[in-house]
């Protein structure tokens, strides 16, 4: 997800009304919540990307940042992952997201 990617209003409405479907919510509130969710997801991706780079031993402060790709919940590498790692793409695994989750939640609270 790029920093400019949009989360659809319909999806945001569905997420916001999950617990209380009869709640009234304005379009402005949906837009604000979408902005916050987008910021949260982008930050999570950036932090998990750094973890993936450290995990694979490729984090180097003098080099340009490596490209990363978010993958599914499996922590076991596939042959596609190995091909991408040889091309300089570091896969983000669930373990990388879990490592940054507590700090991220605290920062956003």
């Amino acid at each position: 997800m790029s920093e400019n990617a949009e989360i659809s209003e319909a999806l945001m409405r569905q997420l916001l009304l999950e617990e209380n479907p009869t709640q009234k919510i304005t379009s402005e509130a949906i837009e604000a919540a979408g902005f916050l969710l987008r910021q949260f997801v982008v930050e999570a991706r950036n932090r998990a990307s750094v973890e993936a780079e450290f995990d694979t031993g490729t984090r180097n402060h003098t080099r340009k940042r490596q490209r990363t790709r978010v993958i599914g919940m499996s922590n076991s590498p596939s042959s596609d992952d190995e091909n991408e790692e040889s091309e300089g793409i570091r896969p983000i695994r669930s373990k990388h997201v879990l490592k940054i989750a507590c700090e991220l939640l605290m920062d956003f609270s």
Side-chain angles (χ1 to χ4, degrees):
M1 172 180 275
S2 74
E3 292 187 36
N4 297 326
E6 292 292 323
I7 298 173
S8 76
E9 186 175 327
L11 176 59
M12 281 309 306
R13 182 177 298 279
Q14 182 180 357
L15 291 170
L16 292 169
L17 298 176
E18 182 74 25
E19 291 296 315
N20 187 359
T22 60
Q23 176 74 44
K24 301 276 186 197
I25 188 161
T26 66
S27 294
E28 293 84 15
I30 293 171
E31 185 178 331
F35 174 79
L36 291 173
L37 182 59
R38 187 171 42 259
Q39 296 305 311
F40 183 84
V41 170
V42 168
E43 184 63 21
R45 188 219 177 275
N46 289 339
R47 291 183 190 195
S49 173
V50 170
E51 283 297 323
E53 290 173 12
F54 275 114
D55 193 39
T56 58
T58 59
R59 184 71 175 178
N60 186 331
H61 296 291
T62 61
R63 287 178 26 188
K64 279 172 102 175
R65 189 168 175 182
Q66 296 287 326
R67 293 186 307 159
T68 56
R69 180 177 72 91
V70 179
I71 63 170
M73 292 301 288
S74 171
N75 279 321
S76 56
S78 69
S79 61
D80 290 340
D81 295 339
E82 291 168 6
N83 291 338
E84 288 181 347
E85 285 191 37
S86 67
E87 295 172 4
I89 300 172
R90 306 296 174 228
I92 296 173
R93 301 188 186 288
S94 60
K95 67 180 182 178
H96 302 131
V97 176
L98 293 173
K99 281 184 180 179
I100 59 95
C102 290
E103 185 177 295
L104 181 67
L105 290 170
M106 286 176 32
D107 289 347
F108 272 78
S109 66

